[in-house]
Amino acid sequence: MASPAGKGLVAYNAAISRCSRAGLHQRALELFREMRLRGLRVDEYTLPPILNSAALLRVPPGALHGLLLRAGLALHLHVANALVDAYAKLSRLGAARVVFDEMPRRDVVTWTSLVTGLARAGSHALAVRVYRDMVAAGVAPDEFAIAAALSSCAGSTALELGRSVHAAAVRCGHEPFLSVGNSLVSMYAKTGSLRDARTVFDAMRARCAITWTALIVGYAQNGRGRESLAVYADMVRSGCRPDYVTFVGLLFACSHAGLVDAGRAHFRSMQSEHGISPGPDHLACMVDLLGRAGCLDEAVDLLDRSPAAELDATVWKALLAACRTHRNAALAERAAEMVWRLDPTDAVPYVMLSNLYSRARRWSDVARVRALMRSRGISKEPGCSWVAVAGVTHVFHAEDRDHRRTAEIYRKVEEMTARIRARGYVPDTEWALQDEAPEGREEGLAHHSERLAVAFGLLAVPASAPIRVYKNLRVCGDCHAAIKMVAEVYGREIVLRDSNCFHHMKDGSCSCGDYW
């Protein structure tokens, strides 16, 4: 017969577990404190659910970690798994990795907890590495690890690895899971492979708002805004209710396709038909939509009528970008000031103002902004572009001469420039941001990171395959025009993804319709 203390422990464990599974996390913690006050010792059944509830309530697991060490449960697989998962949920990834590395035995739950934690925290390269280690260790990934790995493949633009994860999902029988299907649609869309995204979407037996939204956003980011609107219409007809993120994708699509009237209508319908209050993301999309179309007064009026709490730095940066496009320095200065108030460490307003002044040849203002930036200790994110060839990622910066094939790359750049000049290309030196002679500005444009990456792609990527170039910042207008012509004269498809959207360039045209 079990002792009264033993009966008490079993009852508490059962109650804590039920509360944790039901999402009653605060009640689970209360029961745990009550149990400890009664002098009951924890065991391997107490700690996993309470670690889960504590993590979801953002309670640091340090005290629980110490408790399980004193109880001699650190080597218990299920307890250690729960500890890895708790640290990962709280983005304490170093601590999660320490626990992981000290475990004498691991199972699929252990690996999955670390992969999903890294993916959730945006540490995509590390998540992909852990996933590869998991497979190399002979552990078959479950549907959660597959979904997390696909998310990180999307985040790190690792298309070919994403294809291999897709193949693993098929082999393991995880493809029918909704979470895996959603992650596949998103991964293919975010890496510029819309045909594959659509194929997966069409094959899915069940869909939810996340599925539809992933395709809507995918079409929008790849310059196919009208298809986004068509997918949204199909979504509504299917009976699936759009959510907050769906409308972000929809308004983004309208913005990048110049569909001003459609954007206004969908923005109004959010609240009137679906009861979704516009948030900062929606306002930023609307400002971008109106700003691109030159309706700056309407954009400012929208902001003036919006609650101050909804106007975050992203909204004002959208207005600042529109001001840069339309060279409205006075309004740009107001928008930059608002960004500085909300986030004094953000480099974007300094860079945008500097670029606006540079294009206007207002060099004294450029110097003033850069001096202000230095005095405040703000540093600009350096621009870079990269291209993957045979599983190796090659990274380039402007004027980069560190690559082992530098001589070939620069000869190819010269060849590219000569061939597109013969087709009528004239450098747009307004995009050169230095106060120097025209020849120097033209050479600087020719050696932007994206052009070096394209030149390397022409040398290294088979003629039958698209050249896929990724850039961490927005592509400049001159590079966009030049690379579009390079795609035409070399008869290649060049897919360039910048910080804003994808540009699918082929036969002298771009998917963005030169409106980005």
Side-chain angles (χ1 to χ4, degrees):
M1 180 183 291
S3 67
K7 285 183 178 179
L9 177 61
V10 170
Y12 272 107
N13 283 347
I16 289 168
S17 180
R18 282 197 302 271
C19 287
S20 185
R21 284 199 305 270
L24 303 173
H25 303 299
Q26 192 62 52
R27 179 58 181 154
L29 289 185
E30 290 168 3
L31 287 168
F32 177 72
R33 293 189 192 101
E34 184 181 304
M35 167 188 165
R36 296 290 294 155
L37 287 172
R38 289 190 57 188
L40 296 174
R41 293 175 60 84
V42 300
D43 65 8
E44 66 270 25
Y45 300 103
T46 317
L47 286 165
I50 206 64
L51 279 164
N52 178 61
S53 287
L56 291 171
L57 289 173
R58 313 302 297 171
V59 176
L64 291 169
H65 190 171
L67 181 62
L68 70 88
L69 288 172
R70 292 192 298 275
L73 295 170
L75 300 183
H76 193 287
L77 180 63
H78 299 311
V79 174
N81 281 349
L83 188 58
V84 171
D85 186 60
Y87 277 125
K89 280 189 171 86
L90 291 166
S91 297
R92 297 275 303 278
L93 301 177
R97 185 76 209 212
V98 168
V99 176
F100 178 91
D101 289 339
E102 290 177 347
M103 291 174 67
R105 186 166 68 90
R106 307 179 187 111
D107 62 7
V108 65
V109 176
T110 326
W111 288 95
T112 298
S113 294
L114 192 57
V115 173
T116 53
L118 289 164
R120 194 184 304 115
S123 299
H124 298 304
L126 284 174
V128 165
R129 192 180 309 160
V130 171
Y131 172 81
R132 283 174 157 163
D133 291 344
M134 176 184 185
V135 174
V139 178
D142 61 15
E143 67 271 22
F144 304 108
I146 291 283
L150 288 168
S151 173
S152 284
C153 288
S156 57
T157 65
L159 173 59
E160 294 311 313
L161 178 60
R163 292 191 195 282
S164 72
V165 177
H166 186 178
V170 173
R171 286 195 303 273
C172 297
H174 297 321
E175 197 178 25
F177 282 97
L178 183 61
S179 61
V180 172
N182 289 345
S183 296
L184 280 168
V185 174
S186 182
M187 184 275 294
Y188 281 124
K190 288 181 178 178
T191 51
S193 299
L194 271 182
R195 185 177 301 170
D196 292 317
R198 185 75 209 211
T199 299
V200 172
F201 178 89
D202 289 340
M204 289 177 68
R205 296 175 214 167
R207 303 181 186 120
C208 65
I210 295 172
T211 326
W212 289 96
T213 299
L215 195 62
I216 288 167
V217 172
Y219 276 126
Q221 290 179 329
N222 283 271
R224 294 169 63 175
R226 294 183 187 279
E227 284 94 331
S228 287
L229 269 60
V231 172
Y232 174 72
D234 289 340
M235 175 184 186
V236 172
R237 278 194 293 270
S238 76
C240 184
R241 289 184 61 81
D243 60 16
Y244 182 102
V245 182
T246 307
F247 279 99
V248 174
L250 201 58
L251 295 174
F252 182 93
C254 293
S255 172
H256 286 254
L259 303 172
V260 179
D261 290 338
R264 289 188 184 114
H266 285 302
F267 185 71
R268 287 193 298 268
S269 75
M270 278 178 57
Q271 197 154 19
S272 63
E273 295 179 23
H274 301 283
I276 299 171
S277 298
D281 300 307
H282 305 111
L283 291 170
C285 285
M286 283 302 295
V287 169
D288 189 55
L289 168 71
L290 297 168
R292 286 170 187 273
C295 304
L296 287 176
D297 290 342
E298 186 178 347
V300 171
D301 181 61
L302 173 65
L303 299 187
D304 288 342
R305 289 185 288 105
S306 300
E310 300 297 341
L311 302 182
D312 67 3
T314 305
V315 177
W316 292 107
K317 283 190 282 190
L319 181 61
L320 183 51
C323 293
R324 181 183 61 177
T325 299
H326 297 287
R327 308 191 186 194
N328 188 325
L331 187 56
E333 287 160 0
R334 176 192 167 191
E337 187 61 42
M338 293 303 299
V339 178
W340 288 328
R341 287 186 196 175
L342 292 163
D343 186 359
T345 64
D346 195 331
V348 169
Y350 299 93
V351 174
M352 285 192 176
L353 270 184
S354 179
N355 290 354
L356 188 153
Y357 293 142
S358 295
R359 293 185 69 188
R361 300 291 182 260
R362 292 170 54 176
W363 303 116
S364 61
D365 286 319
V366 171
R368 176 176 57 81
V369 171
R370 290 179 179 172
L372 183 62
M373 198 172 175
R374 285 193 300 272
S375 71
R376 293 178 177 176
I378 308 297
S379 58
K380 173 191 172 186
E381 180 184 6
C384 67
S385 299
W386 61 97
V387 58
V389 178
V392 178
T393 300
H394 301 260
V395 182
F396 300 89
H397 296 84
E399 307 285 352
D400 199 339
R401 294 184 183 272
D402 291 336
H403 197 278
R404 62 184 178 82
R405 298 180 67 177
T406 288
E408 291 177 86
I409 291 168
Y410 274 77
R411 283 197 297 271
K412 181 60 73 172
V413 167
E414 291 175 10
E415 177 190 293
M416 285 161 42
T417 303
R419 290 185 64 174
I420 62 177
R421 277 185 182 276
R423 292 288 187 93
Y425 164 71
V426 177
D428 183 355
T429 56
E430 283 196 356
W431 291 96
L433 304 180
Q434 290 80 32
D435 184 10
E436 56 186 18
E439 297 79 9
R441 293 202 294 270
E442 289 182 17
E443 185 175 344
L445 289 170
H447 297 155
H448 277 187
S449 65
E450 53 266 54
R451 289 207 221 179
L452 297 179
V454 167
F456 177 70
L458 289 171
L459 291 167
V461 176
S464 59
I467 298 170
R468 296 181 182 275
V469 174
Y470 301 91
K471 183 176 171 73
N472 65 330
L473 303 177
R474 192 171 186 263
V475 62
C476 85
D478 183 69
C479 284
H480 185 272
I483 294 171
K484 189 171 63 170
M485 293 185 74
V486 167
E488 181 180 22
V489 299
Y490 284 89
R492 300 293 296 266
E493 180 183 358
I494 299 175
V495 181
L496 170 63
R497 195 209 73 177
D498 67 6
S499 62
N500 213 24
C501 63
F502 278 91
H503 303 270
H504 296 257
M505 300 174 178
K506 190 176 181 181
D507 299 329
S509 64
C510 180
S511 59
C512 73
D514 299 334
Y515 188 86
W516 89 101

